[in-house]
Amino acid sequence: MNKIELDKLLHSHTEQETYYLEHPNALSPRYTSMKKTFINGKEVLNFSLPKLMEQEILIRKDSRYTFVPFYTHTNINMNYIYSGECTYLIDDTYITLKKGDVCIFDKDVVRSKMKTGENDIVINISISNDFFSKGVINNIGEQSIIANFIVNALSNYEKHNHYLIFRTNASTKIISLFESILLEYFQNELYSKEIMNAYLNITFMELLRLYQMDPQNHYIQLSEQSPLNIIDILHYIENNYVDASLIDLSKRLGYHPKYLSTYIHKKTGKTFKQIQLDQRLKTACVFLMNTTQTIEEIASSVGINNLNFFYKKFREVYQLSPNEFRLKQEY
């Protein structure tokens, strides 16, 4: 299968789409027998995919020409706009995504999907709940504290009402990655599953990179609404890791340092100092890999003046001394 054949397949009418064309404004007959719950006064459909017990990833095209009432999934769910656009209702807000955009919903997010038209192709990727913790988390160890936090939020937190919306501006990289994923999925050849998983890992990291390059263009909902935004706090620590302090941050945000400290620990599982140290060590790794600076110079440049402390913490995190880490990158 090539890209032209893939496009033809995705634009062809399925049996369900033919039904919706012949029965305008009809809902799926299977909704009547589906499990339902009431959440915040809304009747909510519960989509369940038992096959995910055997497979980590399932992909299908959403049916066009129909409306989907309020629903949740029993798993993390990624929607990719292959062509056209699609509008979702989330938290009483209508959000329209266009070609190349991606939304990732945790399993307790209540949303509905508006009726789509002929050219509105939405790819639905259902992902097992431990995919992020087993796959993506292991692959972003050297990325930013924000990337780590977002991935952990999707996989580890008790609440699962998180969602991420990435407006990619039809990024050619994102479009190419999803095309590759879809080709592997529909071809189903030798090693297709492993290759597809690798592409998905790369796709998620590319989305995180797009977010960090232009955070205002995307939307990250990681918990119930709060006057404080943990992402803004992490941005502050990440951008000011050398001399950031809880006192300065509390003055900037207008909160007592003790309250802010408790809030940060509750949201991340770490203290302000631990997050700051994480970023200092991540940056030190970049210097070790890309410069000829001495260990002492690197420690000082990331804000750690006690060399013994730097050596101790570096080994605790990476199980290597800074020198061993640098030598390992050369082979």
Side-chain angles (χ1 to χ4, degrees):
M1 179 182 287
N2 56 37
K3 292 180 181 180
I4 294 174
E5 292 169 333
L6 173 66
D7 190 69
K8 183 178 179 181
L9 172 67
L10 294 176
H11 277 90
S12 62
H13 286 151
T14 63
E15 183 179 337
Q16 292 90 342
E17 288 174 333
T18 300
Y19 171 82
Y20 296 129
L21 281 171
E22 293 173 351
H23 301 82
N25 301 318
L27 297 178
S28 172
R30 69 191 183 100
Y31 293 165
T32 57
S33 59
M34 283 182 60
K35 181 182 176 182
K36 303 176 183 69
T37 56
F38 279 88
I39 301 175
N40 296 328
K42 301 182 182 78
E43 184 178 65
V44 178
L45 297 168
N46 302 125
F47 287 101
S48 177
L49 295 171
K51 286 185 179 180
L52 274 181
M53 298 290 289
E54 306 165 11
Q55 301 171 244
E56 282 194 336
I57 298 164
L58 290 173
I59 299 179
R60 65 178 176 81
K61 180 185 74 171
D62 276 357
S63 293
R64 290 167 287 178
Y65 317 116
T66 186
F67 166 80
V68 183
F70 287 112
Y71 66 99
T72 61
H73 272 266
T74 57
N75 52 274
I76 294 171
N77 189 245
M78 176 187 290
N79 292 163
Y80 167 66
I81 313 303
Y82 176 86
S83 69
E85 63 181 42
C86 181
T87 299
Y88 297 88
L89 177 60
I90 315 168
D91 293 335
D92 298 321
T93 301
Y94 288 95
I95 299 174
T96 299
L97 303 183
K98 299 183 182 296
K99 178 178 178 176
D101 289 349
V102 179
C103 51
I104 304 174
F105 298 108
D106 210 340
K107 61 184 182 178
D108 291 338
V109 177
V110 177
R111 68 273 194 191
S112 62
K113 185 167 78 72
M114 303 301 107
K115 186 175 180 179
T116 50
E118 176 73 26
N119 194 45
D120 302 327
I121 308 295
V122 179
I123 303 301
N124 191 304
I125 304 177
S126 293
I127 304 171
S128 65
N129 293 329
D130 61 356
F131 172 83
F132 285 97
S133 55
K134 291 202 310 184
V136 178
I137 287 179
N138 292 335
N139 291 324
I140 64 166
E142 304 307 322
Q143 300 297 321
S144 75
I145 51 177
I146 295 173
N148 277 282
F149 175 74
I150 290 173
V151 174
N152 275 286
L154 285 172
S155 58
N156 295 337
Y157 276 42
E158 288 184 14
K159 290 181 179 292
H160 288 277
N161 60 344
H162 317 298
Y163 59 91
L164 321 176
I165 292 175
F166 299 95
R167 301 189 186 279
T168 72
N169 295 320
S171 160
T172 55
K173 278 188 178 181
I174 294 298
I175 290 172
S176 177
L177 283 165
F178 274 101
E179 283 179 346
S180 298
I181 291 167
L182 292 169
L183 285 170
E184 289 295 337
Y185 188 81
F186 288 114
Q187 288 170 165
N188 193 25
E189 296 176 340
L190 187 65
Y191 299 120
S192 278
K193 178 183 175 182
E194 290 77 10
I195 293 172
M196 188 171 59
N197 283 8
Y199 277 132
L200 267 174
N201 273 281
I202 295 169
T203 299
F204 193 71
M205 286 184 279
E206 180 65 28
L207 289 170
L208 288 171
R209 178 158 64 180
L210 287 175
Y211 169 76
Q212 290 183 262
M213 289 169 60
D214 184 13
Q216 300 305 315
N217 193 41
H218 313 280
Y219 187 76
I220 307 296
Q221 168 62 32
L222 290 173
S223 65
E224 66 279 3
Q225 294 297 321
S226 168
L228 280 172
N229 187 330
I230 190 63
I231 296 296
D232 289 342
I233 292 172
L234 294 178
H235 263 304
Y236 168 80
I237 299 173
E238 191 168 86
N239 293 331
N240 302 275
Y241 64 90
V242 174
D243 53 8
S245 74
L246 188 62
I247 297 296
D248 287 343
L249 180 59
S250 65
K251 289 178 180 177
R252 178 187 295 260
L253 297 177
Y255 287 86
H256 191 279
K258 186 174 182 180
Y259 175 84
L260 198 57
S261 177
T262 302
Y263 176 82
I264 292 170
H265 191 270
K266 178 183 176 182
K267 292 295 180 183
T268 67
K270 295 184 177 182
T271 65
F272 179 95
K273 287 292 186 183
Q274 287 172 326
I275 296 170
Q276 183 182 37
L277 179 61
D278 285 348
Q279 187 59 33
R280 285 172 169 176
L281 294 177
K282 289 177 189 296
T283 307
C285 287
V286 174
F287 288 144
L288 287 166
M289 290 187 289
N290 298 291
T291 74
T292 58
Q293 287 181 291
T294 67
I295 306 302
E296 187 174 6
E297 288 171 336
I298 290 173
S300 178
S301 66
V302 299
I304 302 176
N305 297 316
N306 185 325
L307 196 57
N308 289 333
F309 177 82
F310 177 75
Y311 272 99
K312 178 184 176 183
K313 292 300 178 182
F314 194 95
R315 183 175 287 279
E316 283 179 6
V317 174
Y318 299 103
Q319 287 76 56
L320 294 168
S321 72
N323 282 313
E324 290 169 339
F325 180 91
R326 173 175 267 169
L327 288 171
K328 188 178 179 181
Q329 312 310 310
E330 296 176 0
Y331 295 98

